[in-house]
Amino acid sequence: MSTTDTALLSAEPDVEEHVALDEDYVLTPGFVEKVVDAADDGDGMRLRSLLEDLHPADVADLMGFLTAEHRAVVVLWLPPELLAETLPELDDGIREEVLERVPHGTLAEALQELDSDDAAAVVEDLEDDQRERVLAAMPEVDRAAIESSLGYAEDSAGRLMQREVMAAPQFWNVGDTIDHIRRQGDDLPELFFDIYVVDPVNRPVGGVAVSSLLRAPRSTPLSDLMDPINEIAVDQDQEEVAYIFEKYHLISAPVVDAGGRLVGQITVDDIVNIIQEENREDILRLAGVSDEDRGSSVAEIVRGRVPWLAINLATAALGASVIGLFEGTIQQIVALAVLMPIVSAIGGNAGTQALTVTVRALATRELNSANATRTFLRELAVGMANGLVLAPLIGVAAAFWFRDEDWRIGLVIAAAMVLNLLVAAMVGMLTPLTLSRLKLDPAVSSAVFVTATTDFFGFLIFLGLATIVLL
């Protein structure tokens, strides 16, 4: 049975069997319950039979459903190969917890089953003393590859790359290359799509897709088959690498050092993870939330959220101070207190829309200095159009609602709506653009600033117009 299929996982299928995944590839409650029961009973053989045919990604998902106590039992019964492939799939918090439970000898054996990039990602999460023991228990070649990877910056291509790579000299032909590949055996990368053609000093000069290699006659020179390649510098940021892969539709790319020599490769499976990671970070930062996962404790979540809530509290106080300036106007026209939240709420939502679109455009390189002015004017036009559509609706409604007090309230809120939507469009775009120019992450604090600004100007414009027109 393939590990990617929906598994019938039972030690005795004729007595008891249960589908591990439902039609949406989600672990079924019944299967999770079986694992929990086996862990409670300390039935290691039962646990192993339940998990041995499960895909590593599903094992990682299962760990997220279990308590720390159950995870501690389950991880001890995972076969080394399955444990190795599961560790890179785990949420960071859960992986750190699991690593504390695995004996260093077992972990060293498991890491030898991984490519150098995945092994380095796991070793990175170990405590210093545990890391030393695990590395000491590994063969010298594997240990050197991991230590070399950890020597690069955390978010760089060097940390992301796998050192296992298939290269061939440019004077070889197809037959030479195929024979060489077959002789490599276990020394081959677990996954590779291209053979990189290198010059005498190991600088890549082109790439040959495996599919092209297999279709060509043995006598064909590699130089006749190779295509231009997109080299990745070892110190390039992983976001930049992901952009290159996405723009040029790459499956793999060679990584070169400062001298242009081939030192590794990056494959598309790593890039998918990076894109997901960056998107998750941007979404969380827009909401003012730190990176949380299923293994995060209440204390960790609170520590991540309270600072941003404190900032929001301060900005809310700023908006309240504006209201205090017009206390006399509100006392004379109580209807203003009813309508104030409408102006600020619509402005905040419109600002968030402009902000989200701008942050996304910056992340995907769709917005730059070449089209920033045109895009800014377009957002202003959208803000004006939104205001002209919504203003008559709220204006007529407010005039009818408070017709016995002063119908001009409808004119005031309509005008305030148009002006605040213009402010929202302006701030929603200029804030992330400014942060980006200052080399700051535009997703980190933009939302708080935009909301504070639209609240401030929303109250100021509405109450200021009301004071001028109605008093």
Side-chain angles (χ1 to χ4, degrees):
M1 180 185 303
S2 170
T3 56
T4 58
D5 295 334
T6 300
L8 295 177
L9 301 175
S10 174
E12 300 175 6
D14 56 327
V15 176
E16 176 188 19
E17 64 180 19
H18 194 87
V19 177
L21 307 177
D22 62 20
E23 62 274 9
D24 295 322
Y25 300 96
V26 176
L27 291 169
T28 62
F31 177 77
V32 176
E33 184 178 349
K34 285 182 181 295
V35 174
V36 170
D37 290 342
D40 286 336
D41 295 339
D43 190 346
M45 298 307 295
R46 175 64 172 151
L47 282 172
R48 178 162 289 189
S49 69
L50 284 168
L51 301 175
E52 62 185 357
D53 289 330
L54 207 60
H55 191 282
D58 294 319
V59 177
D61 200 27
L62 171 67
M63 291 294 192
F65 290 119
L66 301 178
T67 63
E69 292 75 15
H70 290 135
R71 285 196 289 265
V73 176
V74 169
V75 71
L76 295 178
W77 288 96
L78 289 176
E81 184 176 351
L82 181 57
L83 172 63
E85 295 176 351
T86 299
L87 288 173
E89 303 284 347
L90 293 170
D91 292 337
D92 291 343
I94 294 177
R95 182 166 62 203
E96 291 177 9
E97 175 194 309
V98 166
L99 290 173
E100 294 176 359
R101 306 281 185 173
V102 182
H104 66 271
T106 302
L107 184 54
E109 181 183 356
L111 291 177
Q112 294 173 48
E113 303 292 335
L114 296 175
D115 287 330
S116 57
D117 57 333
D118 290 331
V122 174
V123 171
E124 181 183 10
D125 289 337
L126 298 175
E127 298 294 335
D128 291 342
D129 57 341
Q130 187 183 13
R131 181 185 303 173
E132 291 179 5
R133 291 196 300 270
V134 169
L135 290 175
M138 298 181 67
E140 184 176 350
V141 173
D142 294 328
R143 180 172 66 251
I146 292 175
E147 290 175 340
S148 177
S149 294
L150 293 176
Y152 295 108
E154 184 175 352
D155 294 328
S156 68
R159 183 68 69 88
L160 183 63
M161 74 178 180
Q162 63 180 81
R163 302 185 69 84
E164 300 83 7
V165 62
M166 188 62 222
Q170 57 192 133
F171 59 83
W172 275 9
N173 60 27
V174 169
D176 296 328
T177 307
I178 291 177
D179 292 341
H180 175 73
I181 291 173
R182 288 173 176 167
R183 288 194 299 267
Q184 292 305 299
D186 294 338
D187 293 333
L188 284 173
E190 181 179 345
L191 182 69
F192 67 100
F193 305 97
D194 297 290
I195 291 90
Y196 301 115
V197 182
V198 295
D199 65 14
V201 293
N202 204 39
R203 288 185 299 228
V205 295
V208 178
V210 172
S211 57
S212 299
L213 187 79
L214 296 178
R215 284 197 297 263
R218 289 179 60 87
S219 59
T220 306
L222 292 183
S223 57
D224 291 349
L225 294 177
M226 68 181 188
D227 295 314
I229 51 176
N230 295 88
E231 295 180 359
I232 304 294
V234 74
D235 58 352
Q236 267 186 293
D237 185 85
Q238 63 181 20
E239 280 193 66
E240 181 78 15
V241 176
Y243 173 72
I244 293 172
F245 265 71
E246 184 178 5
K247 180 175 182 178
Y248 297 107
H249 310 291
L250 302 181
I251 298 178
S252 66
V255 181
V256 297
D257 62 14
R261 293 178 294 273
L262 180 67
V263 293
Q265 68 169 340
I266 294 175
T267 54
V268 69
D269 57 319
D270 299 312
I271 296 303
V272 170
N273 293 335
I274 294 302
I275 291 173
Q276 290 177 338
E277 178 185 326
E278 297 294 341
N279 287 341
R280 180 181 65 181
E281 287 181 0
D282 286 346
I283 291 172
L284 291 175
R285 287 171 175 173
L286 278 172
V289 179
S290 63
D291 194 5
E292 301 169 5
D293 55 45
R294 291 176 292 185
S296 300
S297 66
V298 172
E300 290 171 337
I301 295 173
V302 170
R303 281 198 300 269
R305 296 187 186 184
V306 163
W308 289 102
L309 292 176
I311 294 174
N312 284 335
L313 183 62
T315 58
L318 182 63
S321 66
V322 176
I323 297 175
L325 294 176
F326 296 94
E327 183 178 357
T329 302
I330 297 173
Q331 287 178 345
Q332 295 183 55
I333 309 173
V334 180
L336 298 179
V338 178
L339 298 175
M340 277 191 308
I342 297 177
V343 178
S344 63
I346 295 297
N349 288 335
T352 301
Q353 288 177 339
L355 167 66
T356 303
V357 170
T358 304
V359 169
R360 176 193 170 277
L362 287 171
T364 58
R365 316 292 176 90
E366 295 175 6
L367 179 60
N368 52 47
S369 56
N371 62 351
T373 301
R374 183 173 69 253
T375 305
F376 175 69
L377 294 176
R378 185 188 66 184
E379 283 297 328
L380 284 183
V382 170
M384 175 64 75
N386 287 337
L388 295 177
V389 170
L390 296 176
L393 300 178
I394 187 61
V396 171
F400 180 77
W401 190 358
F402 299 104
R403 61 186 181 278
D404 294 334
E405 297 182 34
D406 194 332
W407 64 270
R408 291 178 300 172
I409 290 178
L411 294 178
V412 170
I413 193 172
M417 181 76 72
V418 173
L419 293 175
N420 201 30
L421 286 177
L422 281 173
V423 170
M426 186 184 305
V427 176
M429 184 170 178
L430 288 181
T431 299
L433 272 177
T434 302
L435 291 173
S436 180
R437 285 288 182 88
L438 296 174
K439 306 300 182 183
L440 300 174
D441 190 339
V444 173
S445 54
S446 297
V448 173
F449 186 82
V450 168
T451 301
T453 305
T454 53
D455 284 350
F456 180 87
F457 281 101
F459 293 141
L460 181 64
I461 292 170
F462 178 58
L463 295 176
L465 287 176
T467 301
I468 296 171
V469 174
L470 303 178
L471 295 183

